[in-house]
Amino acid sequence: MPLPPRAQIVGTGMFVPPDVYTNKDLEKMMDTSDEWIQQRSGIRERRYAKAGIGPSDLAFEASKSALAMAGLKSSDIDMIVFATLSPDYYFPGSGAFLQDHLGCGTIPAIDIRNQCSGFVYGLNVAQAFIASGLYKRVLLVGAECHSRALNFTTAGRDVSVLFGDGAGALVLVPSDDPERGVMSVHLHAEGAHRDLLKLETPAARNWPMVSKEDLDAGRQYPKMDGRNVFKHAVTRMPEVVREALTHNKLSADDVDLYLFHQANMRINEAVMKNLDQPITKSHNNMDRYGNCSAASIPMCLDEAVRGGRVKANDVVCMTAFGAGFMWGSALVRW
Ligand code: COA
């Protein structure tokens, strides 16, 4: 029996809205400082989309770049996988918006709601579709408009300074070469920690989904126990990278490039230290874009590819951790 084909990434793209907000800009809105934000997180600035722009609009631009790199038209795509925690509407999913913007007939589109791990979860879905033969040209996007749900007062400063808006996109096709493409994806979740990082309303557990009391209490904004999230992230990320390496009989040294979720530079440095790898073997962009959740890794990947940091046959390791808790890793031979 022939092995199922690996999914190969043949196009990458990213897009961020033009409006830059520096740490100094945030200093004018809340009691924070450029020094605190840079020291604690490594973030210098981020982008916020204007009102009326949704994640699907950012995803549309990123998708056009990814399709151009792949040498494909939107009509060539036969499945859209859209990862976001900040969808255009509560429903329908942002995949429906993007499918319409791209004008790709009646192809299916699914939304992935796995927060900062949305990209690795989405990659597993895309890979499984291709391996099964169900779909042959899958567009995978991660896109976020976080700025809509951030509390820009001092009460929200622990979370609001960290997040930004952006989108990243990939085109995946069955690989002709059995050695190249997505080698593995390993995913985990530990729902017992769901309350350590959450945005509670609108919520279908409540009736009404959003009350005046909710709004007065700020439940429309994310809440995070930052220290606890940090502690779990620096444990789970190296653990799931090792799981991927062991599965593929590789060592940490065999990886050419590490791409992480972009929550906090201290987390990524701790993971590289744990793996005994120099930080120069990773590519990060949170200094310029902050945490773009599901978009973080595909945005880093696009920058790395276009910057010439990924060559044919290189091994790229991607890993993410976020709300849920949910986390995962992927290994790709380019
Ligand atoms: N500006 C200035 N001071 C701030 C601030 C801000 N934006 N946000 C919080 N502070 C204050 C706190 O009130 C606290 O003050 P106190 O000591 O008087 O109580 C102090 O800074 C330290 O806060 P703390 O939460 O202990 O900081 P930290 O070193 O843990 O860093 C995070 C905070 C959020 C940067 C860090 O915990 C983190 O990155 N966590 C993980 C995030 C993550 O991985 N997310 C992944 C999923 S998206």
Side-chain angles (χ1 to χ4, degrees):
M1 268 252 300
L3 285 172
R6 283 184 172 175
Q8 190 171 15
I9 300 165
V10 290
T12 65
M14 68 168 274
F15 182 77
V16 287
D19 294 343
V20 178
Y21 289 75
T22 64
N23 294 346
K24 289 273 178 211
D25 291 326
L26 299 189
E27 282 179 8
K28 294 174 204 147
M29 304 179 202
M30 62 187 84
D31 180 12
T32 190
S33 69
D34 176 41
E35 191 191 2
W36 190 96
I37 302 170
Q38 286 212 44
Q39 269 182 8
R40 301 294 173 123
S41 70
I43 297 165
R44 286 190 288 112
E45 58 189 46
R46 71 290 290 144
R47 308 294 180 97
Y48 298 148
K50 287 195 188 338
I53 303 287
S56 63
D57 299 302
L58 308 185
F60 176 60
E61 299 299 333
S63 300
K64 284 194 291 188
S65 298
L67 285 164
M69 187 189 287
L72 295 175
K73 301 186 294 299
S74 51
S75 55
D76 295 324
I77 295 297
D78 54 15
M79 164 58 88
I80 293 172
V81 180
F82 197 125
T84 185
L85 68 72
S86 51
D88 291 71
Y89 284 175
Y90 193 82
F91 78 83
S94 291
F97 285 69
L98 181 62
Q99 195 260 14
D100 180 47
H101 291 339
L102 286 170
C104 33
T106 60
I107 65 161
I110 57 175
D111 273 41
I112 299 282
R113 295 292 307 275
N114 294 77
Q115 299 75 242
C116 296
S117 302
F119 172 75
V120 275
Y121 269 76
L123 185 63
N124 203 4
V125 170
Q127 171 211 32
F129 278 145
I130 287 174
S132 69
L134 268 179
Y135 299 102
K136 290 204 179 322
R137 288 176 299 271
V138 179
L139 176 65
L140 168 62
V141 303
E144 306 286 0
C145 282
H146 282 314
S147 51
R148 288 35 176 148
L150 297 178
N151 180 354
F152 291 108
T153 70
T154 300
R157 65 181 182 175
D158 59 325
V159 175
S160 52
V161 301
L162 303 174
F163 289 89
D165 300 347
L170 308 184
V171 176
L172 299 113
V173 302
S175 177
D176 296 334
D177 182 340
E179 296 297 319
R180 292 175 67 189
V182 179
M183 302 158 76
S184 64
V185 182
H186 289 85
L187 302 178
H188 295 279
E190 196 174 19
H193 298 303
R194 63 190 176 276
D195 283 329
L196 296 182
L197 178 49
K198 63 182 175 185
L199 194 161
E200 284 176 286
T201 56
R205 299 173 72 82
N206 301 340
W207 196 348
M209 287 170 80
V210 189
S211 64
K212 180 166 182 317
E213 190 202 334
D214 288 326
L215 296 177
D216 290 345
R219 294 193 191 102
Q220 70 278 33
Y221 300 126
K223 301 272 179 312
M224 174 169 76
D225 177 344
R227 281 189 193 176
N228 234 326
V229 175
F230 191 101
K231 205 175 71 189
H232 282 83
V234 296
T235 309
R236 293 305 195 184
M237 287 166 77
E239 188 180 273
V240 76
V241 167
R242 286 205 171 83
E243 187 178 359
L245 293 171
T246 305
H247 177 84
N248 289 286
K249 300 186 176 56
L250 293 175
S251 77
D253 291 344
D254 295 323
V255 174
D256 297 287
L257 181 68
Y258 286 90
L259 300 176
F260 299 103
H261 172 49
Q262 300 289 297
N264 187 317
M265 202 52 207
R266 289 188 294 144
I267 293 178
N268 297 359
E269 284 164 359
V271 178
M272 287 302 262
K273 193 161 176 234
N274 184 307
L275 295 168
D276 200 18
Q277 295 296 298
I279 193 72
T280 47
K281 270 179 82 174
S282 66
H283 176 79
N284 298 280
N285 62 16
M286 76 187 74
D287 57 330
R288 287 166 286 133
Y289 304 124
N291 180 346
C292 296
S293 293
S296 286
I297 293 179
M299 284 166 59
C300 282
L301 179 62
D302 184 57
E303 285 189 344
V305 168
R306 289 177 196 268
R309 284 203 68 175
V310 191
K311 301 179 300 300
N313 292 305
D314 275 1
V315 176
V316 181
C317 175
M318 311 179 204
T319 182
F321 180 91
F325 288 152
M326 294 179 180
W327 65 99
S329 65
L331 279 185
V332 177
R333 189 177 294 281
W334 203 256

